[in-house]
Amino acid sequence: MLEEIQKKGSLLSYRKDIHILDCTIRDGGLMNDFRFEDQFVKNVYNACIKAGVDYMEFGYKGSKEVFSEEDFGCWKFTSEEDLRRIVGTNDTKLKISVMADVDRTNFNEDVLPKSESVIDMIRIACYIHQIPSALEMVNNFHEKGYETSVNIMAVSHVTESELNEALEILGQSKVDCIYLVDSFGVYCPEQIRTIAKKYLAIGDKYSKKIGIHAHNNQQLAFANTIEALTLGVSMLDATITSLGRGAGNCPVELLLGFLKNPKYHQRPILKIIEEDIPKLREQGVKWGYDIPYMITAQMNMHPRSALKNINKPDWDKFVEFYDEMTIED
Amino acid sequence: MLEEIQKKGSLLSYRKDIHILDCTIRDGGLMNDFRFEDQFVKNVYNACIKAGVDYMEFGYKGSKEVFSEEDFGCWKFTSEEDLRRIVGTNDTKLKISVMADVDRTNFNEDVLPKSESVIDMIRIACYIHQIPSALEMVNNFHEKGYETSVNIMAVSHVTESELNEALEILGQSKVDCIYLVDSFGVYCPEQIRTIAKKYLAIGDKYSKKIGIHAHNNQQLAFANTIEALTLGVSMLDATITSLGRGAGNCPVELLLGFLKNPKYHQRPILKIIEEDIPKLREQGVKWGYDIPYMITAQMNMHPRSALKNINKPDWDKFVEFYDEMTIED
């Protein structure tokens, strides 16, 4: 089956199945505890509409029993009221998504029926051992009328046979889309092609869309995203200027410049980059490729060891950090 | 022939034919008129030796009839005295290279016989219409005892048939290595694979090494370099923290983290990044991926339109620059 996956589309045409999902606020929120000004969120929303972006992800559906409202801005919880304050009834082509973490979402109470919500898609993030819980959420959200995806995180720490089994289970479920997630930014294009073929084989077998969520620890998020799309992956996560956890994500401005569908426009995103992104930097929000993230990725590690130094003078002590990460006790 | 080029090596082994060429000083010199302090050049030289880098390129062999010594630091000219001030007689495994531009090098007078020089390789940079002049230089340097390469610039502005002819001519010459140069940072991995196969077919036919010199305008320099190497390209240009013209080059620290040959070590380069690179930034030297370089690359243009604004407040006016580049008069 893997060998049958071939290049789809060409560099001068476009595929109608391709969708961009902007997760600037959701993944970026990990770097400022989700404390974005409403005006910024509105500007990103309007820019996504003008740019032809297909989905915008606003935040997490975090449980208030797990997380305190004092510790986080509203996009950690993403209530219907928060969303409507920004999008009204969202009478646009832009679909709205939120992310729900397994075990951290009070999904029976906090997720309304689709008929009462502006949300279109709910993406379920889980580790591989949480697949049964993820399926319970898929069924719940599916019955409520939502599109769903399951995003298995940290697959670079998972055996091939476990991943094969997980993908089979998801293939047989009601989920609409399965995401290849490079949580640690560890993969190079050759590896992404191999893994994408595995996901795409399941997608072909069970008629599921396949998505990719890349991280930029090795300056490979854009490369890995376009390599995966060339093979048939169709849901592409990206953020404005990579804004996201640690080294951040695939930059949506690069992706918009690459895709050939005339519905996509780069200029509205450049306006945000010029006018709004500098304010975030001034507020002290830090993200994007840097040496400590490169080191954790090359070690196939979560970036948390790098992130713990992000606001300390130790951040720039690259050699010390390298020694810490590579010398075993 | 193109279809016969297959993947060479694997992700856990290494190929002995792979060589890294660090061109931090030569390409980086384009951003500060080659005015590096000797101590910085010495630190890069010592770091390259410790890191197991194979070649270090110090500068251009610019003609003093074309360029004034008042306008440039010494690495625009790279005299034997300049080199020996840094490397002595270079009793190390690190080979030394310089670059010679066609029509801007007084090669009869300024290039000594190899027996009188610490230089090992001379790389000839030319546009496609300058191939006959490049061949004259290849012969001259070859007779003097040097390794040579020809680096055809701006191939994204060249027709396929012209490029095929140029590669055939170079294949039949005495040159040791032919470089695939992505001058404008325009290529994506899929394109790099196609073009690399073309170069590699000539390399196979005439026993020439093939090299790659990538630019990072679309955050693809590292991706393109490792994709090309996977197919058989063996001379890999890279610079510390991408230091080079505009968006810069393939970061050598990423490459050292990727390659598996135990002779390579990343730590000495991290030391330079920690201790020396911040001083260059403080001196006002600017380089690395940014939006204007992305825009020129996506338009398949030389970065000079972006570079003209580099020290002006206009640099951050991304929308205005985008309109300038994309709206025809």
Side-chain angles (χ1 to χ4, degrees):
Chain A
M1 180 70 91
L2 291 194
E3 291 65 32
E4 291 168 22
I5 305 287
Q6 292 295 330
K7 195 186 144 197
K8 295 195 175 58
S10 78
L11 284 169
L12 286 184
S13 61
Y14 67 90
R15 297 197 341 244
K16 287 189 180 166
D17 62 320
I18 296 289
H19 292 93
I20 300 179
L21 185 146
D22 178 285
C23 48
T24 301
I25 303 299
R26 199 273 308 159
D27 211 316
L30 295 167
M31 301 311 280
N32 72 346
D33 296 333
F34 304 89
R35 299 187 195 280
F36 292 106
E37 290 169 14
D38 273 5
Q39 192 58 55
F40 179 69
V41 182
K42 274 184 196 169
N43 290 351
V44 172
Y45 170 70
N46 287 320
C48 282
I49 294 168
K50 286 185 189 160
V53 164
D54 302 281
Y55 292 79
M56 174 174 164
E57 189 160 84
F58 280 76
Y60 284 92
K61 274 280 180 193
S63 164
K64 288 177 185 170
E65 289 166 23
V66 181
F67 303 104
S68 153
E69 284 181 276
E70 284 172 21
D71 294 340
F72 297 99
C74 69
W75 305 109
K76 182 77 175 178
F77 310 99
T78 318
S79 71
E80 194 65 26
E81 296 70 45
D82 294 326
L83 282 170
R84 288 182 190 257
R85 196 172 66 242
I86 306 297
V87 310
T89 51
N90 187 37
D91 299 319
T92 75
K93 287 184 182 172
L94 178 69
K95 290 186 175 181
I96 290 173
S97 82
V98 291
M99 183 159 269
D101 277 337
V102 164
D103 282 348
R104 296 178 181 179
T105 306
N106 198 348
F107 59 87
N108 283 312
E109 290 172 27
D110 289 347
V111 175
L112 303 170
K114 167 76 192 100
S115 57
E116 298 168 29
S117 175
V118 292
I119 296 170
D120 296 283
M121 177 163 68
I122 307 181
R123 305 205 301 168
I124 299 151
C126 67
Y127 293 102
I128 197 154
H129 65 277
Q130 298 171 320
I131 294 271
S133 304
L135 289 179
E136 193 184 354
M137 292 167 76
V138 166
N139 289 335
N140 184 288
F141 300 150
H142 185 81
E143 278 165 30
K144 284 175 176 165
Y146 294 100
E147 289 178 50
T148 55
S149 81
V150 169
N151 301 23
I152 315 172
M153 300 183 288
V155 286
S156 63
H157 284 185
V158 164
T159 64
E160 274 184 88
S161 55
E162 282 176 322
L163 182 57
N164 291 342
E165 190 186 336
L167 291 175
E168 271 293 332
I169 294 171
L170 292 176
Q172 293 168 28
S173 79
K174 290 179 175 161
V175 79
D176 298 293
C177 177
I178 306 169
Y179 260 88
L180 165 46
V181 183
D182 182 10
S183 301
F184 308 152
V186 60
Y187 292 126
C188 68
E190 184 177 339
Q191 293 167 311
I192 281 289
R193 288 194 294 274
T194 304
I195 303 167
K197 285 179 182 178
K198 190 191 285 287
Y199 280 69
L200 286 163
I202 291 291
D204 280 358
K205 186 173 169 188
Y206 295 107
S207 298
K208 305 293 184 193
K209 285 185 280 190
I210 303 297
I212 181 164
H213 180 86
H215 277 280
N216 209 26
N217 300 55
Q218 298 184 85
Q219 298 190 7
L220 291 172
F222 175 53
N224 286 342
T225 300
I226 61 180
E227 283 298 295
L229 98 83
T230 300
L231 293 173
V233 169
S234 60
M235 292 286 289
L236 311 178
D237 282 18
T239 70
I240 299 172
T241 67
S242 283
L243 180 53
R245 169 142 58 191
N249 304 92
C250 171
V252 73
E253 55 277 14
L254 282 168
L255 197 54
L256 288 165
F258 177 81
L259 295 172
K260 303 298 181 292
N261 190 328
K263 78 175 177 180
Y264 291 130
H265 307 286
Q266 195 181 38
R267 195 178 186 277
I269 302 296
L270 296 181
K271 193 158 181 285
I272 296 275
I273 298 176
E274 180 176 329
E275 295 175 3
D276 295 84
I277 291 295
K279 292 177 205 159
L280 281 187
R281 298 269 186 205
E282 281 161 26
Q283 289 163 18
V285 189
K286 284 174 74 175
W287 71 93
Y289 169 81
D290 205 347
I291 298 294
Y293 302 127
M294 172 193 83
I295 292 170
T296 59
Q298 287 172 343
M299 301 290 293
N300 191 12
M301 289 166 70
H302 192 287
R304 70 171 65 87
S305 314
L307 286 162
K308 74 175 167 36
N309 291 329
I310 192 168
N311 289 316
K312 296 182 188 165
D314 278 1
W315 178 258
D316 292 327
K317 294 187 178 163
F318 303 136
V319 175
E320 198 176 300
F321 184 71
Y322 175 83
D323 289 344
E324 242 181 79
M325 293 299 108
T326 54
I327 298 171
E328 299 283 337
D329 287 322
Chain B
M1 180 70 92
L2 290 194
E3 290 66 31
E4 291 168 22
I5 305 287
Q6 292 296 331
K7 194 186 145 199
K8 294 194 176 60
S10 78
L11 284 169
L12 287 185
S13 61
Y14 66 89
R15 295 195 346 242
K16 287 188 179 166
D17 62 319
I18 295 290
H19 292 94
I20 299 180
L21 185 146
D22 178 285
C23 48
T24 302
I25 303 299
R26 199 275 306 159
D27 212 314
L30 294 166
M31 302 311 281
N32 71 346
D33 296 332
F34 304 88
R35 299 187 196 279
F36 292 106
E37 289 169 15
D38 274 4
Q39 192 58 55
F40 178 69
V41 181
K42 274 184 198 172
N43 290 351
V44 171
Y45 170 70
N46 286 321
C48 282
I49 294 168
K50 286 184 190 161
V53 163
D54 303 281
Y55 292 79
M56 174 174 164
E57 189 160 83
F58 279 76
Y60 284 92
K61 273 282 180 192
S63 164
K64 288 178 184 169
E65 289 166 22
V66 180
F67 303 104
S68 153
E69 284 180 277
E70 285 171 20
D71 295 339
F72 296 99
C74 69
W75 306 107
K76 181 78 176 178
F77 310 99
T78 317
S79 71
E80 195 64 25
E81 296 69 44
D82 293 326
L83 282 170
R84 287 182 190 256
R85 198 172 64 243
I86 306 296
V87 310
T89 51
N90 187 38
D91 299 320
T92 75
K93 287 184 182 172
L94 178 70
K95 290 186 174 182
I96 290 172
S97 83
V98 292
M99 183 159 269
D101 277 336
V102 164
D103 282 349
R104 296 178 180 178
T105 306
N106 199 349
F107 59 87
N108 284 312
E109 290 172 29
D110 289 346
V111 175
L112 304 169
K114 167 74 192 101
S115 57
E116 297 168 28
S117 176
V118 292
I119 296 170
D120 297 283
M121 176 162 68
I122 307 181
R123 306 205 301 168
I124 299 152
C126 67
Y127 292 102
I128 198 153
H129 65 278
Q130 298 171 319
I131 294 270
S133 304
L135 289 178
E136 194 184 353
M137 291 166 78
V138 166
N139 290 335
N140 184 288
F141 300 150
H142 185 82
E143 278 165 29
K144 285 175 176 164
Y146 295 100
E147 289 178 51
T148 56
S149 80
V150 170
N151 300 23
I152 315 172
M153 300 183 290
V155 286
S156 63
H157 284 187
V158 164
T159 64
E160 273 183 87
S161 56
E162 281 177 322
L163 182 57
N164 291 342
E165 191 186 337
L167 292 176
E168 271 294 331
I169 293 171
L170 292 176
Q172 293 167 29
S173 79
K174 289 177 176 162
V175 78
D176 299 293
C177 178
I178 307 169
Y179 260 88
L180 164 47
V181 183
D182 182 11
S183 300
F184 307 152
V186 61
Y187 292 126
C188 67
E190 183 175 341
Q191 293 167 310
I192 281 288
R193 287 194 295 272
T194 304
I195 303 166
K197 284 179 183 178
K198 191 191 283 288
Y199 281 67
L200 286 163
I202 291 290
D204 279 359
K205 187 173 169 188
Y206 295 108
S207 298
K208 305 294 185 193
K209 283 184 282 191
I210 303 298
I212 181 162
H213 181 87
H215 277 279
N216 209 27
N217 299 55
Q218 298 185 85
Q219 299 191 7
L220 291 171
F222 175 53
N224 286 341
T225 300
I226 61 179
E227 283 298 294
L229 98 82
T230 300
L231 292 172
V233 169
S234 60
M235 292 286 289
L236 311 177
D237 281 18
T239 70
I240 297 171
T241 67
S242 282
L243 180 54
R245 170 142 57 191
N249 304 92
C250 171
V252 74
E253 56 277 14
L254 282 168
L255 197 54
L256 287 165
F258 177 82
L259 295 173
K260 303 299 181 291
N261 191 328
K263 78 175 177 180
Y264 292 130
H265 306 286
Q266 195 181 38
R267 194 177 186 279
I269 301 298
L270 297 180
K271 194 158 181 283
I272 296 275
I273 297 175
E274 179 176 329
E275 294 175 2
D276 296 82
I277 291 295
K279 293 178 203 158
L280 281 186
R281 297 271 184 204
E282 281 161 26
Q283 288 163 20
V285 188
K286 285 173 71 176
W287 72 93
Y289 169 82
D290 205 348
I291 299 294
Y293 302 127
M294 172 193 83
I295 293 171
T296 59
Q298 287 172 343
M299 301 290 293
N300 192 9
M301 290 166 68
H302 192 286
R304 68 171 66 85
S305 314
L307 285 163
K308 75 172 167 36
N309 290 330
I310 192 168
N311 289 316
K312 295 182 188 166
D314 278 0
W315 178 258
D316 292 327
K317 294 187 179 163
F318 303 136
V319 175
E320 197 177 302
F321 183 71
Y322 175 83
D323 289 344
E324 241 182 79
M325 293 299 107
T326 55
I327 298 170
E328 298 284 337
D329 285 323

